[in-house]
């Protein structure tokens, strides 16, 4: 419903922001489908599913890694777009456009495909019966191979070690710029005798709305992704290889992974809580689903 509502383009957002938020919602939906439903529920509770076939298992692994990275980097792309729009006046006109948003989304999708292409080759069939490959197990030499070690570091860097510091940096710079600009605007209005009307300043109100939406989305992502990042750092420092022998570490990893997947469920709630037009349009789509087949309302 979030994708359908945003794709209508009637939520009072610019075309560029709408593209990024639609891409984020699509990436989040892919995480819920491939990482949660397919990777956790179907794999564990439906042993006779298609995942028993090695090609299906390999495809599932690729889609899980791909969808998770899309969700992460679309959030970063949205945050960077808001940083440029708020902090970089000269770059804003040429960067914060629908065309740029489409290019960024396409480039990020292509790069994430390239990063995750090796994932299916990490697994080999457990056995072959009548020329049909069954099951998936890690290939021999995976832990000792320098090439696979490099790929593990690449995925860890792109999934965990870079996104959180990058989001913290962009949000800090954005917040600093907004606070400085707001103080200057208040001082200017006060010097002109307009201090009594500052509460109704539409520019300040727009900035507050932007920073609430930006900080809520990226802040929620950082909080829910931090545990899995900390665990991966600890595992890398201690050189832990077989964590399933430790009940507490295995539980911590599973809980941290659940929290990371939860970030894909929160954005819709954030949109609904911070965007009045989004709530109105989603209610309209739910009430009159036939409008999806009609021309957009004026």
């Amino acid at each position: 419903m979030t994708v359908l509502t945003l794709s209508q383009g009637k939520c009072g957002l610019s075309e560029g922001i709408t593209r990024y938020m639609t891409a984020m919602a699509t990436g989040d939906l892919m995480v819920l489908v491939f990482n949660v439903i397919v990777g956790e529920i179907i794999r564990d509770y439906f042993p006779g599913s298609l995942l028993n076939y090695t090609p299906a298992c390999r495809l599932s692994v690729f889609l899980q890694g791909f969808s998770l990275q899309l969700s992460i980097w679309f959030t970063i792309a949205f945050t960077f777009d808001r940083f440029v729009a708020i902090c970089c006046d000269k770059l804003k006109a040429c960067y914060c456009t629908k065309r740029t948003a489409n290019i960024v989304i396409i480039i990020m999708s292509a790069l994430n495909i390239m990063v995750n292409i090796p994932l299916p080759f990490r697994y080999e069939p457990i056995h072959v019966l009548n020329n049909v490959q069954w099951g998936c197990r890690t290939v021999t030499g995976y832990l000792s191979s320098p090439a696979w070690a490099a790929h593990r570091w690449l995925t860890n860097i792109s999934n965990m070690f870079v996104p959180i510091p990058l989001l913290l940096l962009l949000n800090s710079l954005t917040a600093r710029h907004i606070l400085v600009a707001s103080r200057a605007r208040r001082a200017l209005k006060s010097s002109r005798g307009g201090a009594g009307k500052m509460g109704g300043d539409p520019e300040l109100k727009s900035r507050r709305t932007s920073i609430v939406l930006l900080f809520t989305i990226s802040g929620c992502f950082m909080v829910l992704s931090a545990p899995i990042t900390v665990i991966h750092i600890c595992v890398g420092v201690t050189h832990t290889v077989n964590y399933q022998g430790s009940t507490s570490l295995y539980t911590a990893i599973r809980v941290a992974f659940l929290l990371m997947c939860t970030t894909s469920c929160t954005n819709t709630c954030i949109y609904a809580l911070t965007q009045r037009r989004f709530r109105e349009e989603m209610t309209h789509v739910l009430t009159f689903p036939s409008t999806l087949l009609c021309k957009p309302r004026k």
Side-chain angles (χ1 to χ4, degrees):
M1 290 307 302
T2 302
V3 174
L4 291 174
T5 302
L6 291 172
S7 62
Q8 295 294 297
K10 297 176 287 188
C11 295
L13 303 170
S14 67
E15 291 184 335
I17 298 178
T18 300
R19 286 289 188 277
Y20 285 120
M21 294 180 72
T22 304
M24 290 166 59
T26 304
D28 293 341
L29 179 61
M30 291 175 64
V31 171
L32 292 176
V33 171
F34 298 117
N35 292 69
V36 178
I37 297 177
V38 175
E40 299 295 327
I41 298 176
I42 295 180
R43 184 190 63 185
D44 294 341
Y45 296 100
F46 297 90
S49 67
L50 289 175
L51 294 180
N52 286 331
Y53 294 100
T54 303
C57 175
R58 286 173 169 170
L59 177 61
S60 174
V61 169
F62 169 79
L63 291 174
Q64 288 176 38
F66 175 60
S67 59
L68 188 60
Q69 287 195 333
L70 280 188
S71 178
I72 292 172
W73 284 96
F74 284 162
T75 303
I76 294 175
F78 167 75
T79 305
F80 183 75
D81 178 84
R82 293 299 82 206
F83 165 75
V84 172
I86 295 172
C87 302
C88 308
D89 291 333
K90 295 182 179 179
L91 187 60
K92 174 182 176 180
C94 61
Y95 184 85
C96 300
T97 62
K98 172 183 174 182
R99 180 175 179 273
T100 302
N102 290 333
I103 293 174
V104 170
I105 291 170
I106 292 173
I107 291 176
M108 284 192 167
S109 299
L111 290 176
N112 286 325
I113 289 175
M114 294 173 62
V115 170
N116 288 281
I117 281 178
L119 282 180
F121 301 98
R122 172 183 169 179
Y123 297 93
E124 62 183 4
I126 297 177
H127 59 268
V128 179
L129 182 62
N130 295 328
N131 293 326
V132 178
Q133 298 178 342
W134 294 87
C136 277
R137 66 182 177 190
T138 304
V139 296
T140 305
Y142 171 74
L143 295 176
S144 59
S145 170
W148 281 115
H151 184 261
R152 285 197 301 272
W153 273 107
L154 177 62
T155 54
N156 286 334
I157 289 172
S158 61
N159 283 356
M160 301 163 197
F161 301 151
V162 169
I164 291 180
L166 186 58
L167 288 174
L168 281 173
L169 175 63
L170 292 174
N171 283 341
S172 299
L173 293 175
T174 303
R176 178 179 176 275
H177 182 88
I178 290 177
L179 291 175
V180 171
S182 297
R183 289 196 196 102
R185 190 174 180 86
R186 288 193 186 97
L188 181 61
K189 289 179 69 68
S190 178
S191 65
R192 293 180 177 178
K197 298 182 180 180
M198 283 190 296
D201 191 335
E203 180 65 23
L204 291 178
K205 184 177 180 180
S206 174
R207 289 176 181 173
R208 282 196 298 269
T209 302
S210 297
I211 198 171
V212 166
L213 179 62
L214 171 65
F215 275 40
T216 307
I217 291 176
S218 54
C220 185
F221 168 80
M222 287 187 289
V223 169
L224 294 176
S225 299
I228 194 70
T229 304
V230 173
I231 289 175
H232 271 78
I233 293 175
C234 294
V235 169
V237 171
T238 59
H239 301 287
T240 302
V241 176
N242 187 12
Y243 62 83
Q244 292 189 359
S246 172
T247 303
S248 58
L249 180 57
Y250 179 75
T251 302
I253 290 176
R254 299 308 297 169
V255 172
F257 179 75
L258 175 63
L259 290 175
M260 186 172 62
C261 290
T262 304
T263 60
S264 301
C265 309
T266 57
N267 284 344
T268 300
C269 300
I270 293 171
Y271 303 154
L273 290 173
T274 59
Q275 298 291 315
R276 178 182 58 83
R277 289 287 299 276
F278 178 84
R279 296 194 299 272
E280 293 176 353
E281 289 301 324
M282 177 166 278
T283 302
H284 184 81
V285 171
L286 288 171
T287 308
F288 306 102
S290 60
T291 56
L292 295 174
L293 303 177
C294 303
K295 293 181 178 181
R297 295 179 292 114
K298 300 294 184 181

